[in-house]
Amino acid sequence: MAEANGALLGNLFFEPSTRTRMSFDAAFCRLGGRVCDTTGFQFSSMAKGESNHDASRVISGYVDVMVVRHPQMGSVKEFADASKVPVINAGDGPGEHPSQALLDLYTMLKELGRDLSTINGLKVAMVGDLRFGRTVHSLAKLLSLFKDINFTFVSPNELKMPAYVVDFLRERGHTVKETSDLIAGVANADVIYSTRIQEERFESIDEAQRFKGCYAINRAFFDRYCDAHAIMMHPLPRDNRAANCELNNDLNDHSQLAIFRQTDNGIPVRMAIFALVMGVEKDIEKTFRTVGFQKRLIGA
Ligand code: NCD
């Protein structure tokens, strides 16, 4: 694999992450590149008051591409504006998480046996903390590029999908229903996309605690109220504690639980993102035709 040989990724995570950080890292290494990273503020010069602008400009002189996660909405754009190299948003506070949206869409297509022309008309229920959960903001916007998507947003009143997202979807001709009733919300959905209560974005843990477990789906619930062909997705991490769990552990061997196939899909999708951003996608296609294990990764 020579496509990203010698290239260097700066993987900058100023907020907790396991799968996103590691999958960007693994994807870049699988393309033949190498990774330098920094995790958290306390070990970076930003603890000394350095701005996003300065940090980005400096690091962009060391690496060929950057991945940035940051707790403030809009901060990754500040990195991008100051950088000499491409910057990929790996989550900016309650804002956006675009690479997750791409791997979510890829998962839906694979799981439902659809393609970009037959995704139109999809029925998606997004459930949980739609206010602070950035993955649903990006996924809704990505799905808005298709036609006649039927969105049902299921959340407590306090954690509704931001109005700017709802308005945007309606302006583009999609159907949007909002409800706090889980049973009504998931009925007939092709995709049930559950999310965690984003407790780190609440004023206090106690405040977040009020909402924990309010939309817990377990095997009995799924079998009774959901379409048998519906798939269950979640960006993970789920809160595995029984009282809180958005998708209960008793679903772990359920055929419709797609969450681990979803995380697996993070690798080929992030490889593709790097390939496009770095302009080596033609070389990658050649490699896909010749390298067996990568063919398995993309499910070809
Ligand atoms: C999500 C995130 O960080 O926004 N996780 C992820 O990247 N897969 C969701 C979450 O933390 O709840």
Side-chain angles (χ1 to χ4, degrees):
M1 283 180 295
E3 291 74 21
N5 261 353
L8 209 49
L9 162 67
N11 215 14
L12 315 180
F13 278 74
F14 301 107
E15 237 192 8
S17 173
T18 311
R19 77 218 74 240
T20 306
R21 183 169 55 83
M22 286 195 65
S23 69
F24 269 117
D25 188 322
F28 206 70
C29 291
R30 284 184 182 279
L31 289 170
R34 284 177 299 136
V35 182
C36 358
D37 61 14
T38 177
T39 314
F41 286 106
Q42 68 274 34
F43 300 116
S44 89
S45 287
M46 291 163 102
K48 302 176 188 168
E50 188 174 46
S51 66
N52 292 341
H53 173 278
D54 284 11
S56 177
R57 171 60 188 82
V58 169
I59 296 164
S60 72
Y62 303 159
V63 298
D64 301 293
V65 57
M66 272 192 259
V67 170
V68 181
R69 170 172 287 189
H70 193 286
Q72 272 153 14
M73 192 163 159
S75 53
V76 180
K77 179 162 186 327
E78 287 175 22
F79 272 78
D81 289 345
S83 172
K84 298 194 293 179
V85 300
V87 173
I88 297 170
N89 183 356
D92 62 328
E96 298 280 347
H97 196 344
S99 68
Q100 179 72 40
L102 287 168
L103 80 87
D104 290 340
L105 174 61
Y106 181 67
T107 302
M108 290 178 195
L109 298 178
K110 271 183 91 171
E111 294 286 322
L112 299 171
R114 300 206 193 187
D115 59 33
L116 294 176
S117 63
T118 56
I119 193 89
N120 296 337
L122 188 78
K123 298 195 274 300
V124 193
M126 297 187 183
V127 181
D129 183 352
L130 308 183
R131 177 180 174 196
F132 296 123
R134 55 196 168 198
T135 66
V136 285
H137 304 163
S138 294
L139 181 57
K141 286 188 193 167
L142 181 60
L143 288 171
S144 80
L145 298 176
F146 301 93
K147 285 201 172 44
D148 301 323
I149 304 292
N150 219 298
F151 292 94
T152 305
F153 296 141
V154 186
S155 70
N157 206 30
E158 296 87 335
L159 303 180
K160 282 169 78 172
M161 183 65 95
Y164 74 88
V165 179
V166 174
D167 293 346
F168 176 77
L169 298 174
R170 288 194 173 129
E171 274 161 30
R172 294 191 69 109
H174 302 288
T175 305
V176 181
K177 279 191 229 117
E178 295 182 276
T179 177
S180 55
D181 181 343
L182 182 62
I183 295 175
V186 296
N188 304 319
D190 301 308
V191 177
I192 299 159
Y193 190 101
S194 288
T195 61
R196 180 179 66 86
I197 301 298
Q198 308 279 298
E199 65 182 25
E200 64 276 33
R201 310 208 192 285
F202 284 74
E203 304 252 301
S204 72
I205 298 286
D206 285 348
E207 205 202 327
Q209 198 58 41
R210 292 198 292 134
F211 302 106
K212 292 274 183 89
C214 62
Y215 294 123
I217 295 178
N218 61 15
R219 182 177 281 264
F221 181 95
F222 182 86
D223 291 344
R224 178 152 183 211
Y225 296 112
C226 303
D227 186 303
H229 302 291
I231 54 163
M232 289 171 272
M233 296 177 60
H234 192 303
L236 298 185
R238 55 182 165 162
D239 186 336
N240 283 102
R241 289 163 288 194
N244 300 341
C245 200
E246 303 89 36
L247 291 175
N248 196 285
N249 295 320
D250 72 358
L251 288 160
N252 283 355
D253 60 358
H254 198 294
S255 62
Q256 301 311 107
L257 187 79
I259 58 176
F260 297 117
R261 297 187 290 277
Q262 187 181 352
T263 50
D264 290 346
N265 290 336
I267 298 294
V269 168
R270 291 189 167 117
M271 287 171 75
I273 294 171
F274 283 129
L276 285 166
V277 162
M278 299 185 72
V280 296
E281 69 276 15
K282 290 276 175 270
D283 303 324
I284 302 292
E285 274 170 34
K286 231 182 291 156
T287 307
F288 279 159
R289 282 196 289 275
T290 52
V291 180
F293 88 89
Q294 284 194 340
K295 273 191 180 165
R296 282 202 303 280
L297 270 174
I298 60 165

